[in-house]
Amino acid sequence: MSRQAPVQSLRGRPRSFDIEAAVERAMDVFWSRGYHATALPDLLRATKLSRGSLYAAFGDKHSLFLRALDRYIADALTRMDVELDPRKEPVAGLRAYLAGYVERASGANGRRGCLLVATAMELAGHDAEVGRRVAGFFKTMEARVADVLSRAEAAGRLADGVEPASAARILVCFVWGLRVVAKTAQTRITWQATADALLDRFFR
């Protein structure tokens, strides 16, 4: 549920706005332009906030970026929960998980790229808060994929010699490599065939 935040206007009268909507609009700007190329006027236009309101609500550009990155990560984890739902047969769940990434890496979405990948390349090496968030997300993703692979192993579906933790690391690396390489002109059919071929090596 969106939270309404009271913000003091220049005339001293309280004004409210939708915090989550402002974070989402800011996220779109950072996603399209990158952190360093995003200027305060870009954020003011996107969020429709005054400079005073933006600083009162979020502190500064970096704090707003962290809120936007947290929102992006939360959305990604929610999608993962749906795709890797433990009520699904594990192999079907992993196929849905990879198909979702193929879809998001295709067409206009693919050319836009992934905010997490772009952030990892731009900031994670020298921004501790960003690095912690990106590393935490990758670790969580790997653990969830490994859990599904362990369920596949218990069901007798894992191929001989496939170890869940190692296979999970390979799949996560494939997903993030896909988000980078798919910014080129490769087709959705190509990426789906590649994902299918990779999974076929892991299962009976």
Side-chain angles (χ1 to χ4, degrees), residues 49-69:
L49 298 177
S50 68
R51 182 188 297 260
S53 294
L54 187 143
Y55 279 113
F58 302 109
D60 58 15
K61 171 184 166 180
H62 188 259
S63 296
L64 176 54
F65 178 74
L66 293 178
R67 286 286 296 271
L69 188 60

Side-chain angles (χ1 to χ4, degrees), residues 56-145:
F58 302 109
D60 58 15
K61 171 184 166 180
H62 188 259
S63 296
L64 176 54
F65 178 74
L66 293 178
R67 286 286 296 271
L69 188 60
D70 287 342
R71 169 66 181 270
Y72 189 90
I73 289 171
D75 289 346
L77 291 175
T78 297
R79 284 195 305 269
M80 201 184 311
D81 286 340
V82 173
E83 293 163 352
L84 299 178
D85 188 331
R87 292 169 295 185
K88 290 181 180 177
E89 192 275 330
V91 178
L94 282 170
R95 290 196 184 280
Y97 165 75
L98 288 189
Y101 272 97
V102 167
E103 180 66 30
R104 291 187 288 278
S106 302
N109 287 334
R111 289 189 295 275
R112 188 184 195 192
C114 170
L115 178 60
L116 266 170
V117 171
T119 298
M121 297 296 290
E122 184 180 7
L123 296 175
H126 52 85
D127 185 315
E129 284 296 313
V130 168
R132 181 175 61 80
R133 283 165 166 80
V134 172
F137 177 75
F138 288 164
K139 183 177 180 180
T140 298
M141 172 181 280
E142 192 173 304
R144 293 187 184 187
V145 173

Side-chain angles (χ1 to χ4, degrees), residues 145-165:
V145 173
D147 179 68
V148 179
L149 287 161
S150 294
R151 290 194 287 111
E153 182 179 44
R157 295 296 313 277
L158 220 55
D160 292 340
V162 175
E163 196 275 318

Side-chain angles (χ1 to χ4, degrees), residues 15-30:
R15 178 166 65 85
S16 66
F17 64 90
D18 188 327
I19 283 278
E20 294 306 322
V23 170
E24 184 169 1
R25 293 187 190 113
M27 180 182 74
D28 285 339
V29 177
F30 287 123

